[in-house]
Amino acid sequence: MTTRVILVRHGQSTYNAQKRIQGRLDESVLTEQGKADARSVGKALQGLPIDAIYSSPLQRARQTTEEIRTTLGLSLPVNTPETLLEVDLPLWEGKLKKEIKREFPEEYRLWKRQPEAFKMTISTAEGETEHYPIAQLHAQAKQFWQDLLAKHQDQTVLVVAHNGINRCLLSTALGFGPEYYQSILQSNCGISILNFPGAWGEGVQLESMNLTNHVGQSLPDAYEKDRIRILLVRHGETQWNRDKRFQGIKDIPLNENGKSQGRKAAELLKDVPLDFAASSHLLRPKETAELILEHHPDIELQLEPQLEEISHGLWEGMLESEIEAAYPGMLAEWQKSPETVQMPEGENLQQVWDRAIPAWRKIVESAKPGSTGIVVAHDAINKAIVCHLFNLSPEYFWNFKQGNGAVTVIDYPYGANEKPMLKCHNITFHLSEGILDQTAAGAL
């Protein structure tokens, strides 16, 4: 069994609309657009069993929660722990963002580029104290997870909070530090889904992040003029995916459902101006990329052998039951501690990291500022790339789900050699109704 957490950022508030810093100031309320979007979240969640509801105590989050709860027709009580409060920015709260940039230029630069070093010096009657908002918020997020998971094992929990605390909830769950605070996007009324197989510290899977199609936005906006954007796509389904057969570097083509998934991904991306495209050279990602590029006939597909799937060696073509019979205990180790497994006559994950990440870096570094491209690859490769965004090692391999035909949006807002931003992760709404990833859960 698994504890599922549906994490939502509150709807647009009056301060959001005015481009003011909110923090813990509780003067801002939902706009009419914010209320409508919150109801859209409720509609998107219809059919999912909700066992418990948590909200930040600040009114913009509580209003969002109430709109969702009313839309769903739920009578569950709403828990409002202080561990869901927004980031504490006492010197900035209520000010316009343009005022912050003008009055606190160095502090604002740190806030955007080195959030772990960002601090505020607070004057009190007892003297001056140094306040590190993001470090404090990380500790707060960990405490929330510990409390929630102790109470709601094997349940589905709705959590409604804020941009900053949601970022820290995601980062603390997934295993990366406050230096990546600005590397996750949380849109108003964006939905993220995390699956916890056990208690705090026993693993997590990010099923999806920052879904916004229910509020009319298929992909997040690209605000930065010179940013580099890459749409990371996993290939469509193969029959071996459907059968849960390990395929690795076996060159298995798409099945009919996989071709349909490729066409649906193509439809999702048809109006996105593309400047480049790359793919693993194996048939399944190549076919998926070619379906997408039917809407972009001027773009030449570059094949990158270093993006081919992990070699499972002697496991390839086998079902889990056959692997367990031939290699007792090894499959369980792969599922629990994947970084320790050397595939018989195949690869280990560090070898995958060592070839996939340089290939990814080459693509990013060759992209022109302001350009957008697609990279179509495999489950293990895409997991390695997303881990790399946050400097995570192979032990975090299972933290990020990749569905067949899913799309992940990655921006480099300040150029190829600066920290990237994960704008949304594992979008699958174009493949089936509902917010859950319903693609085949087959082997790699």
Side-chain angles (χ1 to χ4, degrees):
M1 296 292 288
T2 297
T3 301
R4 173 180 287 150
V5 176
I6 301 169
L7 183 64
V8 179
R9 184 187 173 192
H10 64 76
Q12 184 195 61
S13 69
T14 50
Y15 272 26
N16 289 146
Q18 295 165 14
K19 298 186 178 180
R20 292 185 185 274
I21 300 294
Q22 303 183 99
R24 296 188 177 180
L25 194 63
D26 202 15
E27 296 180 358
S28 185
V29 296
L30 292 190
T31 62
E32 290 305 312
Q33 183 64 55
K35 293 176 184 178
D37 287 347
R39 291 191 289 272
S40 295
V41 172
K43 293 174 183 177
L45 299 183
Q46 285 177 343
L48 291 179
I50 306 293
D51 299 298
I53 302 175
Y54 282 75
S55 170
S56 161
L58 300 178
Q59 58 181 334
R60 57 192 184 272
R62 287 190 290 108
Q63 286 181 303
T64 303
T65 305
E66 193 55 38
E67 294 286 354
I68 296 171
R69 190 172 71 149
T70 300
T71 302
L72 289 171
L74 295 176
S75 58
L76 290 169
V78 178
N79 304 283
T80 56
E82 292 196 351
T83 45
L84 285 179
L85 283 169
E86 179 58 307
V87 60
D88 188 18
L89 300 170
L91 300 183
W92 290 5
E93 290 168 1
K95 292 179 179 288
L96 295 169
K97 289 183 180 178
K98 63 182 180 181
E99 294 174 335
I100 301 297
K101 293 179 183 179
R102 184 177 65 247
E103 296 175 23
F104 304 91
E106 177 57 20
E107 290 87 348
Y108 188 80
R109 186 193 69 79
L110 286 173
W111 165 254
K112 298 296 286 187
R113 307 292 284 271
Q114 294 177 270
E116 75 283 5
F118 169 68
K119 66 180 180 180
M120 288 184 166
T121 302
I122 311 297
S123 298
T124 67
E126 290 76 30
E128 292 187 341
T129 60
E130 290 187 343
H131 168 51
Y132 289 83
I134 305 306
Q136 180 195 67
L137 202 61
H138 254 242
Q140 176 184 312
K142 288 181 181 179
Q143 186 60 57
F144 174 79
W145 284 131
Q146 291 169 3
D147 295 341
L148 181 137
L149 293 173
K151 296 176 183 176
H152 298 288
Q153 281 293 300
D154 304 330
Q155 294 184 337
T156 297
V157 183
L158 172 65
V159 177
V160 182
H162 308 270
N163 188 7
I165 183 60
N166 282 13
R167 291 181 182 189
C168 288
L169 289 170
L170 288 162
S171 60
T172 52
L174 294 167
F176 50 90
E179 65 271 26
Y180 293 99
Y181 175 80
Q182 299 285 4
S183 296
I184 303 175
L185 183 66
Q186 289 288 279
S187 303
N188 288 120
C189 281
I191 298 173
S192 302
I193 302 173
L194 298 105
N195 300 311
F196 294 87
W200 174 249
E202 294 181 6
V204 67
Q205 178 200 66
L206 182 63
E207 179 173 327
S208 58
M209 191 202 80
N210 205 37
L211 303 178
T212 55
N213 65 296
H214 53 284
V215 294
Q217 186 179 44
S218 295
L219 299 178
D221 290 331
Y223 298 105
E224 302 84 3
K225 177 183 176 182
D226 293 329
R227 60 92 187 100
I228 296 165
R229 167 164 288 192
I230 299 182
L231 308 170
L232 180 65
V233 183
R234 185 185 174 197
H235 64 77
E237 181 185 279
T238 71
Q239 195 55 43
W240 280 23
N241 287 142
R242 175 58 55 183
D243 297 340
K244 300 186 178 182
R245 217 172 267 284
F246 281 70
Q247 49 193 357
I249 61 173
K250 295 290 188 187
D251 207 3
I252 311 301
L254 299 179
N255 62 16
E256 287 306 311
N257 187 48
K259 293 176 184 177
S260 175
Q261 290 171 335
R263 287 190 287 269
K264 289 175 180 178
E267 183 69 19
L268 174 69
L269 303 178
K270 71 175 184 179
D271 294 326
V272 177
L274 296 183
D275 302 291
F276 60 91
S279 166
S280 160
H281 65 114
L282 296 180
L283 278 174
R284 50 197 189 268
K286 179 175 178 288
E287 289 175 342
T288 304
E290 288 170 345
L291 287 167
I292 294 171
L293 292 180
E294 286 180 1
H295 295 289
H296 307 271
D298 295 334
I299 303 301
E300 180 181 356
L301 180 63
Q302 302 295 321
L303 299 181
E304 178 49 72
Q306 296 303 306
L307 292 179
E308 74 175 11
E309 183 59 296
I310 182 174
S311 172
H312 285 299
L314 299 179
W315 286 16
E316 291 180 2
M318 299 177 73
L319 301 171
E320 288 189 355
S321 59
E322 295 169 334
I323 292 171
E324 178 57 29
Y327 305 92
M330 197 172 177
L331 186 62
E333 185 179 358
W334 167 245
Q335 294 166 342
K336 183 179 180 181
S337 303
E339 76 281 5
T340 68
V341 174
Q342 175 65 56
M343 297 291 173
E345 298 187 20
E347 290 182 296
N348 59 48
L349 282 179
Q350 188 59 56
Q351 290 172 306
V352 174
W353 253 246
D354 289 346
R355 61 177 170 82
I357 303 312
W360 172 261
R361 291 298 310 160
K362 183 178 73 173
I363 293 168
V364 174
E365 289 168 6
S366 64
K368 296 180 181 179
S371 64
T372 298
I374 61 168
V375 171
V376 186
H378 306 266
D379 192 359
I381 296 298
N382 288 12
K383 284 180 164 78
I385 289 168
V386 178
C387 283
H388 164 70
L389 303 180
F390 306 103
N391 197 30
L392 295 176
S393 61
E395 68 182 288
Y396 296 93
F397 179 75
W398 294 117
N399 282 18
F400 300 96
K401 189 172 185 182
Q402 284 291 290
N404 291 118
V407 177
T408 293
V409 178
I410 300 164
D411 281 1
Y412 286 78
Y414 304 111
N417 294 314
E418 298 290 337
K419 286 191 182 76
M421 175 180 277
L422 186 64
K423 290 286 185 83
C424 60
H425 173 75
N426 202 43
I427 290 176
T428 59
F429 67 81
H430 55 291
L431 306 175
S432 59
E433 293 185 2
I435 64 169
L436 300 182
D437 180 348
Q438 301 179 43
T439 61
L444 277 63

